[in-house]
Amino acid sequence: MFKNKTLLITGGTGSFGTSVLNRFVNTDIKEIRVFSRDEKKQEDMRIKYNDDKLKFIIGDVRSFKSINAAMSGVDYVFCAAALKQVPSCEFYPLEAVKTNIIGVENTLQAFLQSDAQKIIVLSTDKAVNPVNAMGMSKALAEKVAVAATRNISDLNKKITITRYGNVMASRGSVIPLFVKQIKEGDPITITDPEMTRFMMSLDDAIDLVLYAFNNCEQGDIFVQKSPAATINDLALALREIFQAKNAIKVMGTRHGEKKHEVLLNREELFKSEDLGKYFRVPIDERDLNYKKYFESGDMPLSNEDEYSSDNTHRLSKRELIELLLELSFVKNELNI
């Protein structure tokens, strides 16, 4: 699907971008442009891959000129640049606005003014019913992306969104922290033992993006059905994998954290299309003539539930151990 095509990845030095490179660098893709503001990580990737297909661009999605220049000659875009850490976004919400909302808008406008044909905007479960600045900014980024689809005159251009939950062992996630604490003999620090999170791998995230790429209609949101686990079970599973006896210390919920995450709210789940492994949520095609929508409620919608980490398949500790042992990060830490 990417034969002789040029792919631009914003935030390309992050966990997702690195996994995309691993997936595509040895294929017949013409060029992968890694766009980010992290020159050190770009240099590390340049040395690691040493491949002429890769083009590294120092830039920032906060600057339209920067992302617009990088868009020239691009066929497809994966929009992954974001501030993702919940606590830091709580303390610096305007920084989240600049990257997660304005940065997405700049990327979309550059895309619309270019000859590129498809853009996938990566989002998060925290964008659904958000309670923190990171989730709020990603929720507005989704609205910005959907709004942009309503002004597209070129029917060959497509904008779509993928939304996923916790990516296991990604940068800044809890699994590397737990493993570090286990290896150093420190207590494993958890927030709320009954807190649940969706569990998916980086490969799952890429598979979701590629599925959306191949099956999207204008303005769609795609979600992968994912299992979940409690934070306590995750700590216990890792402790068993590493044959450790570290104490587990409950620290309390951090700034802006939910007990359970949601991938689809009830309105989205009600109108979604069940595709087996995925849900597809079509664009809301209503206009500003609200009167015809507010005169009566919708009984089926009133009875609908949301799709959350509390009501999806809950992994047992044994299932969780099997899933964790498939991760490259865990294998490397175990020297397997």
Side-chain angles (χ1 to χ4, degrees):
M1 70 185 90
F2 291 90
K3 184 177 181 179
N4 296 324
K5 301 295 185 181
T6 295
L7 171 66
L8 171 66
I9 311 170
T10 69
T13 51
S15 299
F16 175 82
T18 301
S19 295
V20 171
L21 293 193
N22 291 335
R23 181 77 68 96
F24 285 105
V25 72
N26 293 319
T27 68
D28 52 10
I29 194 168
K30 178 182 176 183
E31 182 177 280
I32 303 175
R33 296 185 187 176
V34 178
F35 181 92
S36 79
R37 56 185 181 177
D38 195 323
E39 59 180 348
K40 174 61 169 61
K41 287 179 181 171
Q42 287 197 15
E43 179 64 13
D44 292 342
M45 292 172 80
R46 183 183 293 110
I47 293 169
K48 175 182 176 181
Y49 291 99
N50 190 27
D51 195 302
D52 291 339
K53 289 180 182 177
L54 305 184
K55 182 177 181 181
F56 295 91
I57 302 173
I58 298 291
D60 194 333
V61 292
R62 297 180 179 196
S63 163
F64 175 75
K65 285 185 177 180
S66 179
I67 186 61
N68 191 49
M71 196 72 66
S72 177
V74 166
D75 296 294
Y76 308 126
V77 184
F78 292 166
C79 180
L83 293 181
K84 305 179 182 73
Q85 294 298 306
V86 169
S88 59
C89 290
E90 286 298 285
F91 284 98
Y92 301 99
L94 280 177
E95 299 304 311
V97 168
K98 291 173 187 176
T99 298
N100 296 353
I101 303 174
I102 297 173
V104 168
E105 168 67 4
N106 287 338
T107 304
L108 287 166
Q109 290 304 315
F111 165 77
L112 292 172
Q113 295 175 31
S114 74
D115 293 326
Q117 294 300 295
K118 284 187 182 180
I119 182 169
I120 311 294
V121 178
L122 276 63
S123 190
T124 169
D125 51 7
K126 292 175 178 59
V128 185
N129 305 333
V131 299
N132 52 59
M134 187 276 219
M136 293 172 188
S137 65
K138 294 297 282 185
L140 279 172
E142 289 187 7
K143 298 297 185 184
V144 167
V146 171
T149 67
R150 298 190 174 101
N151 300 313
I152 294 178
S153 57
D154 183 352
L155 298 180
N156 291 317
K157 278 184 174 289
K158 293 283 180 65
I159 299 172
T160 193
I161 298 162
T162 60
R163 186 191 289 162
Y164 50 82
N166 179 60
V167 177
M168 297 184 294
S170 60
R171 186 179 67 184
S173 65
V174 74
I175 291 175
L177 172 63
F178 284 178
V179 171
K180 180 176 183 290
Q181 291 172 334
I182 288 170
K183 287 194 162 187
E184 293 179 354
D186 296 330
I188 303 172
T189 54
I190 65 175
T191 51
D192 178 345
E194 296 304 312
M195 184 178 287
T196 61
R197 289 294 181 265
F198 290 104
M199 295 287 156
M200 65 187 298
S201 67
L202 278 164
D203 282 339
D204 289 333
I206 295 172
D207 288 342
L208 171 61
V209 167
L210 295 181
Y211 185 87
F213 181 92
N214 287 318
N215 296 278
C216 67
E217 297 296 334
Q218 197 68 271
D220 283 346
I221 298 174
F222 283 88
V223 165
Q224 177 180 308
K225 296 178 184 178
S226 302
T230 66
I231 299 301
N232 189 62
D233 283 347
L234 178 60
L236 291 173
L238 285 167
R239 193 171 67 173
E240 183 170 328
I241 286 172
F242 287 88
Q243 300 179 355
K245 296 182 179 180
N246 304 58
I248 293 177
K249 183 177 181 181
V250 178
M251 304 294 290
T253 304
R254 301 185 303 171
H255 291 81
E257 281 192 321
K258 290 182 183 178
K259 185 168 184 177
H260 308 295
E261 294 289 4
V262 179
L263 273 171
L264 292 175
N265 63 36
R266 65 183 192 134
E267 291 84 0
E268 292 169 332
L269 188 58
F270 175 71
K271 67 177 184 179
S272 68
E273 179 183 0
D274 190 331
L275 300 172
K277 189 177 180 180
Y278 304 99
F279 288 112
R280 170 185 167 267
V281 182
I283 189 173
D284 187 340
E285 294 181 332
R286 294 176 294 180
D287 57 24
L288 285 174
N289 183 12
Y290 284 161
K291 181 179 178 181
K292 60 184 177 182
Y293 304 114
F294 286 158
E295 288 183 346
S296 61
D298 194 322
M299 285 301 296
L301 174 58
S302 299
N303 296 326
E304 191 63 68
D305 201 358
E306 60 191 13
Y307 178 57
S308 77
S309 58
D310 189 39
N311 62 20
T312 190
H313 171 65
R314 181 75 60 84
L315 293 166
S316 67
K317 190 173 77 169
R318 180 51 46 192
E319 289 175 317
L320 190 51
I321 287 172
E322 291 174 358
L323 191 60
L324 290 166
L325 285 172
E326 294 177 3
L327 299 178
S328 297
F329 171 80
V330 173
K331 290 179 180 178
N332 291 337
E333 293 294 321
L334 290 169
N335 296 318
I336 296 177

